[in-house]
Amino acid sequence: MSIQQYIQDVYGAIKSLLKGMCVTGYYFLHPKEIITEQYPDNRATLKLAERFKGEVVMLHDENNEHACTGCTACELACPNGTIKIITQFDITPEGKKKKALNTFVYHLELCTMCNLCVEACPTGAIVMAQNFEHSVYDRKQLIKTLNKPGSKLRAGVE
Amino acid sequence: METIIFYCIALFILITGILAVTARHIFRAAIWLLFALMGIAGLYFWMDLNFVAAVQIIIYVGGIVVLIIFSIFLTQQSGQKMAQASTKQTVFSMAAVVFGVAFIGSIITRFYFVESHNSMNTAVEHIGTQLMSVTQYGYALPFELVSILLLAAMIGSIVIAMKQKSEPKNN
Amino acid sequence: MISLEALKNEVQNWLQLHVGSTMALIAESVLLGILVIALFAVLGLLLVFMERKVSAVMQIRLGPNRVGPKGWLQTSADTLKLMLKEGLTPDGADKFLFNLAPFIIMIAAMLIMVPVAFARNFQIWDINIGVLYISSVASISVIAILMAGWSSNNKYSLLGAMRSGAQIISYELSAGIAVITMIILTGSLSVNDIIASQENGWWIFKGHIPAIIAFVIFMIAVTAETNRAPFDLAEAESELTAGFHTEYSGMKFALFFLAEYINIFIVCAVAAILFFGGWMPFHIGHWQAFNHIMDYIPSSIWFFGKTFFLIGLIMWFRWTFPRLRIDQLLNLEWKYLLPISLLNMLLMTIVAILKWYL
């Protein structure tokens, strides 16, 4: 090892160590950077990150209509069988039989929040909600029906 | 008061010394030796020889006992109790003890304890200049000799630890 | 203004008047013992809390904030828990040495407190070899670590103890040489003389580049000597399950933990004495007016301020740098720190001979 290399090593080491210390020093002097959320004290004002995923929900508008056509794309996309779609055949005004959604069964206890079902949905009927307080006393309560009772397919969604 | 402290330290050194010799676990023996050496350092402090006491602790406690403990760590089966000394060993060690006591006793009875009156200058500056002085009672020559000895030991250990440059492989 | 010096003289005079001089000596010794133990307890609580808060803020967290206002009572609660816990002794352990080791490490830490000057004329014993005494007594704690590791009868403890021991011994070299570098400037080993020599400016400013290099080397070496991150591979939680004190629990563990923090305080106090003038206020040469203003701040505040600043620096190291590997550790000491500190000592000798400092 040449003497020049040696001095360069020492210089580089000190420089990189100081750089690291600058980062932690900056955080030390700027307590506003702290990202800790004091849950549950700040439950009312809690703001989650934009892409945080809590559970799958189905969007319903004010007329109690949803956009799910019962195509089962989400069921096929799900890697661990979380979604089970029960379909029925509606009779259209023209007298044709048409596949439609009866019950959207969602097993929250199996879900890994992978977002694949949301990406697979062709009509944008389901989204990921940010609710994360899922604890219940009975496992059966985790099996959810996502379409609200009496809801129907929004007109114009194919 | 002073005398009481002296006898306390002396008793401590003697007891730990005896324990160091008689302990059946080698690690415990090393620890008792450590206490005996620290007692001697305490004796130096009692005599107001601060520098010697500090050096005693640095060299014996920080150096030699640590070295002994490391060699115990690296020895196989050092956790076992050592075997009881054989009769032959006991007899010889007893003889050595008797001889030692008789030798020291004879010296003491012949010369007694003479009270020294020349007060020592124990300031560190004085010790330093004395160590480097080339006048009478200076320690420059022994100091240089010891440093050459240490240098030789250091070079020797480097030579032993040095890797042989592996010859270029032919096959 | 109440200073520690005046308080000390008051107590001394009262004792001399009301009890005999022998009794006064004994009473003072007992008082000192109590004071040192109290200081240890307060330092332990404070430093552990400080470490947790500093680490939290550096990692953009909040740290302990539930027990007491802003979490101030967290360490007290932890201490209470440790006191109530059972102190286990493993079955195969060498029980005598196992129980002795925590006390040895505490006694060593207490003995080092002796020559440390906490304020103007406030020192237990102005021993004329102060700094040498500190480094000699500090070497006793190695023995306690080795003792603890051996007597635990646990291979992780033994490995941790050996690593710790090897590390402390090898880094003692460059720490010692850094101290000697400063001794060359001061010309005395006594803590009081070292502080007095910095009346017209601290050595880190007066000593030019060699003093700064010595300071950096000293801080690196003592971080390694106190077995703290980034040199904590001897106590690596993830590899050796905390090294030499794996088998300790309850108060015996607490003593090791406390001794670690006390050692940090002591090495920072030594660094403050050598490089930042101990209790000496910030003086610039012969600016009498400025120096007088600085003298109004009590000397104890100067001392503790500097020491805690240096402790903060060591904590900053810990929460920034990743842990070193054993070969990197040895390379750093033997290939970088030791040659540089030897050269630096030579440089300092030249500076001292030519009197380039003020």
Side-chain angles (χ1 to χ4, degrees), chain A residues 51-56 80 82 106-117 128-129 131-132 134:
Chain A
R51 282 171 19 183
F52 179 81
K53 303 186 194 75
E55 63 170 333
V56 176
N80 41 358
T82 305
Y106 172 53
H107 293 262
L108 181 55
E109 79 271 26
L110 295 176
C111 186
T112 59
M113 323 293 169
C114 68
N115 208 32
L116 287 173
C117 53
M128 278 287 182
N131 173 31
F132 60 92
H134 293 311

Side-chain angles (χ1 to χ4, degrees), chain C residues 268-324:
Chain C
C268 288
V270 172
I273 287 166
L274 282 175
F275 300 97
F276 292 93
W279 48 259
M280 188 62 78
F282 184 62
H283 285 174
I284 300 176
H286 298 291
W287 297 12
Q288 295 297 342
F290 179 79
N291 293 351
H292 270 300
I293 293 168
M294 283 297 167
D295 285 342
Y296 276 108
I297 302 172
S299 52
S300 51
I301 289 181
W302 277 107
F303 175 75
F304 281 102
K306 287 169 197 172
T307 309
F308 272 86
F309 168 74
L310 292 173
I311 292 171
L313 197 67
I314 283 189
M315 286 182 180
W316 194 358
F317 289 160
R318 172 164 184 178
W319 297 106
T320 306
F321 303 139
R323 187 181 292 149
L324 266 70

